[in-house]
Amino acid sequence: MNLMVIGGGGREHAIIKKLKQNPLVSKIYALPGNGGIARDAECVDVKATDLDGICDFAVNNSIDYAVVTPDDPLVMGCVDALEAKGIECFGPRANAALIEGSKAFAKELMKKYGIPTAAYETFDSLEAALKYVETRTPPLVIKADGLALGKGVVIAESRSEAKDALVSMMRDKKFGKSGERVVVEEYLTGPEVSVLTFTDGKTVVPMVSSMDHKRALDGDKGLNTGGMGTVAPNPYYTPEIARECMEKIFLPTINALNAEGRTFRGCLYFGLMLTQDGPKVIEYNCRFGDPETQVVLPLMQSDLLEAMLACSRGTLEKTDVRFSDGCAACVILASKGYPASYEKGYPISIPEDVQGSVFIAGAALRDGTLVTSGGRVLGVSAAGDTLRAALADAYAKASRIHFENMYYRSDIGARALAAGE
Ligand code: AMP
Ligand code: GLY
């Protein structure tokens, strides 16, 4: 089979490495991929948002199956466009991807179908939003409706901070069209859990749970990032909570999407908060998480391509999807300054025996040498019988990788270890 994977981050590298384990796979193209992915797939210089370029490439290169992973192409309708050319895909169509593409849509869906989430109001008018904030007690959560590179959420500790956020989104258009509509939400507390699921629109198969570390610095200090590390499983996500989530959140969401004529096939990501009143949805993503994928797939024992095909073809109920009982950890090595400004172009040295544990996110090939090209440069993932063992292995490997201005958090998994003991 000829496969095409759309995207070019650490998540896509992890997906490609796992897909390669299936003997039916003869060739994998990555559009656009990156300098590290080039070791495992043929990278093609087509942007993940260039839907015409993607469709042309698929048709001209006898692609049998396309795996569309980033949020923008999914929300833009990449799967719809490829299917119109007769290409089978993994990933939701645009009408279902809207569950990530519009927070207002996701909130309305949850309200209509009784899926537990934070109380909220949606606003199209800045004046009305400012007035509403006057009536609420902080902290308040302000969310841009559309995609904003994971930066569209502000936790405002005061009314004036909330108003500043509203003005920058709605008047100053900090996130362009994405912030013209906003959701103002109740602030929830509790441990956060990421649960990625496979679904064919009928059956939901949760993957192993995980925990992200979003802040840039140790002790959950510093700016929010795309994720500085992950561990799996998440010790807060007990079997009882998993059952409750399946019954009150996962199946109701799939059923709600079906009832709205927006059947979801692909990976549906549930960002959950375990509150005093039970698990609630913080966000939906219409795709694999990054860097959650880098700990979830190393624990997957069954075949990834088979699970993906089952989602596309509606045969998930009969498909073997298994995860090990072990643990995994991923530590992100970033460029100093990320998520604000940082320098790039520095050579990266990775010992050969560590290559297998590395997923490259922001690196390019320059005259055959791998150099940094992004804020999150790479992730080092390791699996073990215990979380402690997985973390020790990931950190030992990370310490053997070098590039100038490298930094990483030293406390990935610390909270999970404490919770598990
Ligand atoms: P999101 O971009 O939706 O993942 O939000 C980013 C982060 O903001 C989440 O991971 C949470 O830590 C936090 N967050 C979002 N919504 C809420 C909420 N209603 N209450 C408390 N924290 C929230
Ligand atoms: N790690 C969070 C996300 O992928 O959105």
Side-chain angles (χ1 to χ4, degrees), residues 306-374:
E306 272 178 27
M308 286 182 161
L309 288 168
C311 291
S312 311
R313 294 173 182 175
T315 54
L316 192 55
E317 193 183 8
K318 301 182 295 195
T319 302
D320 170 38
V321 182
R322 260 174 307 114
F323 290 83
S324 95
D325 294 331
C327 297
C330 173
V331 178
I332 299 293
L333 310 193
S335 304
K336 201 168 95 200
Y338 171 79
S341 63
Y342 51 83
E343 292 169 7
K344 43 193 182 185
Y346 295 117
I348 306 168
S349 105
I350 308 172
E352 196 52 44
D353 63 305
V354 174
Q355 290 282 358
S357 308
V358 169
F359 301 122
I360 303 284
L365 281 174
R366 196 177 61 197
D367 304 329
T369 303
L370 201 60
V371 299
T372 64
S373 69

Side-chain angles (χ1 to χ4, degrees), residues 3 70 85 91 108 142 186 198 217 236 252 273 288 312 319 338:
L3 307 190
K85 301 279 183 196
E108 217 171 287
I142 315 286
E186 164 200 19
F198 288 110
L217 307 174
Y236 291 103
M273 195 170 271
F288 283 91
S312 311
T319 302
Y338 171 79

Side-chain angles (χ1 to χ4, degrees), residues 261-275:
R262 296 172 182 272
T263 296
F264 190 107
R265 296 180 199 88
C267 173
L268 183 52
Y269 166 132
F270 295 84
L272 305 170
M273 195 170 271
L274 308 181
T275 74

